[in-house]
């Protein structure tokens, strides 16, 4: 198990990864306005731009690896033998794998967009689906670990309780068919969860 200060810094990396994700989205601009077909058309016409987006996203993904290691270390520090904690740890690991595969699928879609639009459409669609499933899996992990920490009075109850609530609302809300606003639940849950874990990380660094 990592020491508290190292775990804290790793948790903070989650919010740093969010910053890089936002930068990548900003560089892409309004490429998503036309759905998957719009992204494919954008990638086919803007090779120089997506070749900038890819390394930015890769930096974000590396930071998410660091964050996940820290999150699992924090979860183990709550109660290593607890079944719910074990579920939360493996859910976070599964989420990491899904997010990485999603991003690699997106890179492949960008790369084939100019030569094979159908293949690119399939790859980008797969990327979006895996990203959605990956984030929902991560939110489920936030719910389980946050709630367990709250019940066991580990850490600051307000933060762990909120983390559990955010994970639950984000995960369940992501399945509710609300049209164009469904993304608010899982994206919002991801952002709020990362923010809460950053605060928890800062606490660990300061108190170490």
């Amino acid at each position: 198990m990592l020491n508290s200060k190292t775990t804290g810094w790793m948790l903070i990396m989650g919010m740093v990864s969010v910053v890089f994700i936002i930068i990548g989205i900003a560089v892409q601009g309004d490429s998503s306005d036309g759905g998957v077909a719009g992204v494919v058309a954008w990638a086919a016409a803007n090779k120089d731009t997506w070749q900038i987006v890819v390394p930015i996203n890769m930096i974000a993904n590396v930071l998410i690896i660091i964050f996940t290691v820290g999150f699992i270390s924090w979860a183990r520090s709550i109660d290593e033998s607890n079944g719910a904690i074990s579920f939360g740890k493996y859910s976070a690991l599964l989420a990491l794998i899904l997010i990485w595969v999603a991003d690699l699928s997106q890179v492949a879609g960008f790369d084939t967009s100019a030569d094979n639009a159908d293949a690119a459409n399939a790859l980008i669609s797969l990327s979006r689906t895996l990203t959605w499933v990956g984030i929902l899996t991560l939110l489920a992990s936030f719910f389980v670990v946050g709630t367990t920490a709250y019940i066991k009075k580990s850490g600051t109850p307000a933060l762990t309780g909120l983390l559990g609530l955010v994970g639950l609302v984000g995960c369940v809300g992501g399945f509710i068919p609300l049209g164009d606003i469904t993304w608010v639940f899982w994206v919002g849950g991801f952002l709020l969860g990362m923010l809460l874990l950053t605060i928890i990380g800062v606490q660990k660094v300061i108190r170490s």
Side-chain angles (χ1 to χ4, degrees):
M1 190 185 302
L2 301 171
N3 64 50
S4 183
K5 189 169 186 176
T6 301
T7 299
W9 280 115
M10 287 184 159
L11 289 175
I12 293 169
M13 290 303 105
M15 202 64 201
V16 179
S17 75
V18 169
V19 172
F20 278 93
I21 291 170
I22 292 172
I23 292 171
I25 292 171
V27 172
Q28 280 188 242
D30 58 359
S31 62
S32 297
D33 286 354
V36 173
V39 174
V40 172
W42 169 85
N46 296 275
K47 183 176 182 179
D48 290 343
T49 305
W50 69 252
Q51 286 182 334
I52 296 172
V53 172
V54 168
I56 292 173
N57 288 343
M58 283 300 160
I59 292 171
N61 286 340
V62 170
L63 291 170
I64 289 177
I65 292 176
I66 297 170
F67 162 79
T68 303
V69 173
F71 180 78
I72 291 173
S73 176
W74 173 60
R76 291 177 63 190
S77 71
I78 296 168
D79 186 349
E80 191 168 0
S81 62
N82 186 280
I85 291 294
S86 294
F87 174 82
K89 291 188 299 183
Y90 288 117
S91 294
L93 186 59
L94 175 59
L96 174 66
I97 294 169
L98 290 169
I99 290 169
W100 261 90
V101 174
D103 205 57
L104 292 174
S105 177
Q106 177 176 261
V107 173
F110 286 168
D111 195 40
T112 59
S113 59
D115 302 318
N116 191 332
D118 290 337
N121 266 282
L123 288 164
I124 298 297
S125 295
L126 176 63
S127 173
R128 289 191 167 194
T129 300
L130 290 177
T131 298
W132 175 68
V133 175
I135 297 299
L136 290 182
T137 304
L138 187 61
L139 287 169
S141 179
F142 289 175
F143 164 63
V144 172
V145 175
T147 302
T148 303
Y150 178 79
I151 292 171
K152 290 184 171 294
K153 297 180 172 57
S154 176
T156 304
L159 292 174
T160 55
L162 275 174
L163 180 64
L165 181 61
V166 165
L168 176 63
V169 173
C171 187
V172 174
F175 287 101
I176 299 174
L178 296 175
D180 292 338
I181 67 169
T182 300
W183 66 271
V184 172
F185 287 97
W186 60 277
V187 174
F190 174 71
L191 294 174
L192 287 174
M194 287 299 196
L195 177 60
L196 289 168
L197 285 162
T198 295
I199 297 171
I200 292 171
V202 170
Q203 285 184 335
K204 284 187 167 294
V205 171
I206 293 174
R207 293 173 181 174
S208 297

